[in-house]
Amino acid sequence: MTFNFDEGIDRRHSDSSKWNKYSDDVLPMWVADMDFRSPPCIIDALHQRVEHGVFGYGARPKELIDVIVQRMANLYQWQIKPEWIVILPGVVAGMNVCVRAFTSPDESTIAPAPIYPPFKKSSAFAQRPQLNAPLRLENGRWIMDLPSLEAQLTGKEKLLMLCNPQNPGGTVYSSQELQQQLAFAQRHDLIVCSDEIHCDLLLDEGLQHIPFATLSADAERRSITLFSPSKTFNIAGLGASIAIIPDPLLRQQFNTTRDGIVPTVDVLALTAATAAWRDGDTWLQALLPYLRRNRDRLVCAINNMPGLKMASPQATYLGWVDATALPVDNPTLFFQKAGLGFSPGADFGEAKFVRINFGCTSANLEEAIKRMEAAVQSIC
């Protein structure tokens, strides 16, 4: 089966938040939402479910649970039990529940920086303090400097929030790096919330995603792992995610905290998630080379523009662009005036960066590069 990722789909005149944020003269490349049609297996499954015609409250679907258990075994040799799985309407909801469930008001969370904004917001919403482990660029990869935090720790830290693959940097952490994160969690007796939503979007060939919980029995015991098909299969508008929580006490605490706050997942989202994880891998294997070509084109173009630098992300469809040498105060606004809607680096913790979504047609990527080059040449 072939898939046409070059198909231009008009999203500007739809209900797309991505395409309705800016005026028509701005090309939106911000939120992590690809412009590709979702896999046919998902569309077909949704058609069948809609034809049923009744959309009452959804039960915990056995087929979805079985698919998840099998997927974890096939991809990671992780033998999970069905009762470990908690179904959620989104990974962000899972983060927020973790903060509330596993910290008290006087306890802290720890997260990388820069980082996907909900990591910071989840602690802020719960009025919990947060320490941030800085990312540093080493051999073209953004890695987390946890040792730099040792002197700042007070003993009030309770929850370590990880992101693998890293957003916005795109790093896929190695076994050794994950073991260092585990050792840090063990030294300070931390519960670990690991956001692994981009785990299927590995662009460097030969890489293997390693779930944090698979490192050891202790890692499994202290962890909450968040997964979702939403980014991989472009179904973010159909909120379906999971938390895998092996420890029964942590799972009970998590579920008690979510009760009455986090809604159940609707039946169409459950249908889409089941179809994605059961039948979507053929589509995914066709998508990855397309994203890889987009990444390589963008990295090459940006690193040939004065004032800009970009490390090649190992995963995701997100480019983290260093604009510190660009002679502008606000690179996000500068590029917006040039007709480009990028994610502000300030949202992630670095005001002189921008994040670019290259999960788009190659034609749109070329147009974005053309606009970037013209904008940079006008001031450099």
Side-chain angles (χ1 to χ4, degrees):
M1 182 180 292
T2 59
F3 307 99
N4 183 13
F5 298 109
D6 285 321
E7 178 186 8
I9 300 172
D10 182 7
R11 302 184 66 197
R12 195 178 292 280
H13 303 101
S14 70
D15 54 3
S16 168
S17 60
K18 175 182 179 179
W19 281 84
N20 281 287
K21 180 174 181 176
Y22 300 104
S23 59
D24 286 359
D25 60 339
V26 175
L27 184 60
M29 304 181 75
W30 60 290
V31 68
D33 173 341
M34 295 187 288
D35 288 328
F36 310 125
R37 193 179 301 276
S38 295
C41 62
I42 296 176
I43 298 170
D44 291 345
L46 288 170
H47 277 303
Q48 292 177 27
R49 184 62 184 85
V50 169
E51 284 297 318
H52 183 265
V54 181
F55 309 105
Y57 295 116
R60 179 179 169 92
K62 183 180 185 302
E63 185 179 11
L64 175 57
I65 299 302
D66 290 345
V67 165
I68 293 166
V69 170
Q70 191 63 51
R71 189 174 184 83
M72 293 299 123
N74 291 344
L75 292 179
Y76 313 120
Q77 294 73 56
W78 187 14
Q79 308 300 324
I80 71 170
K81 297 179 180 179
E83 60 266 28
W84 295 0
I85 300 169
V86 179
I87 300 176
L88 298 165
V91 160
V92 172
M95 280 186 222
N96 280 272
V97 172
C98 280
V99 171
R100 287 166 168 76
F102 305 122
T103 64
S104 60
D106 65 337
E107 291 175 330
S108 298
T109 66
I110 299 173
I115 193 61
Y116 177 51
F119 277 70
K120 289 179 172 290
K121 290 180 179 178
S122 60
S123 289
F125 290 154
Q127 298 183 321
R128 272 39 164 190
Q130 184 175 88
L131 289 176
N132 293 114
L135 296 181
R136 68 174 189 273
L137 190 61
E138 187 173 293
N139 298 320
R141 298 169 66 248
W142 292 98
I143 61 173
M144 186 165 49
D145 185 8
L146 279 170
S148 68
L149 289 184
E150 297 282 355
Q152 302 177 47
L153 301 181
T154 65
K156 289 287 190 178
E157 297 77 23
K158 188 66 175 177
L159 181 68
L160 175 61
M161 304 178 74
L162 301 177
C163 187
N164 180 34
Q166 211 278 333
N167 177 11
T171 299
V172 177
Y173 289 118
S174 68
S175 177
Q176 180 182 6
E177 289 161 344
L178 290 169
Q179 289 289 353
Q180 292 168 353
Q181 295 169 12
L182 173 59
F184 181 88
Q186 290 170 328
R187 281 197 305 275
H188 303 290
D189 193 24
L190 302 173
I191 297 165
V192 176
C193 172
S194 184
D195 168 13
E196 304 186 13
I197 195 171
H198 289 103
C199 63
D200 295 315
L201 293 164
L202 306 187
L203 302 183
D204 282 0
E205 296 184 83
L207 280 182
Q208 173 65 41
H209 174 74
I210 304 170
F212 177 87
T214 65
L215 295 175
S216 69
D218 181 76
E220 190 176 76
R221 176 190 64 79
R222 68 173 68 244
S223 65
I224 297 90
T225 309
L226 302 174
F227 291 106
S228 175
S230 63
K231 304 301 182 185
T232 302
F233 300 101
N234 208 31
I235 51 173
L238 293 166
S241 303
I242 61 167
I244 299 178
I245 313 176
D247 183 82
L249 293 179
L250 292 185
R251 191 165 63 251
Q252 180 182 25
Q253 201 167 344
F254 183 96
N255 282 326
T256 299
T257 303
R258 71 163 286 181
D259 282 349
I261 299 174
V262 179
T264 57
V265 180
D266 76 70
V267 293
L268 295 182
L270 294 172
T271 297
T274 303
W277 276 331
R278 184 190 60 211
D279 303 320
D281 283 338
T282 300
W283 181 89
L284 174 59
Q285 294 311 310
L287 170 71
L288 291 175
Y290 194 95
L291 291 178
R292 189 178 300 123
R293 289 191 294 272
N294 275 3
R295 176 201 63 180
D296 294 345
R297 174 71 179 104
L298 184 63
V299 169
C300 180
I302 284 178
N303 287 323
N304 279 293
M305 296 181 201
L308 298 179
K309 293 186 295 184
M310 176 182 164
S312 181
Q314 295 178 300
T316 80
Y317 45 83
L318 305 166
W320 187 232
V321 179
D322 182 349
T324 53
L326 203 64
V328 298
D329 293 330
N330 185 331
T332 308
L333 183 59
F334 168 74
F335 284 118
Q336 186 177 329
K337 290 177 179 177
L340 294 159
F342 298 150
S343 291
D347 291 351
F348 300 81
E350 291 284 357
K352 287 303 184 87
F353 280 66
V354 294
R355 194 189 73 172
I356 301 177
N357 176 352
F358 55 85
C360 60
T361 64
S362 59
N364 276 355
L365 182 65
E366 290 300 327
E367 177 61 26
I369 290 170
K370 178 182 175 182
R371 295 183 189 189
M372 287 186 77
E373 289 173 337
V376 170
Q377 289 171 4
S378 72
I379 60 169
C380 291

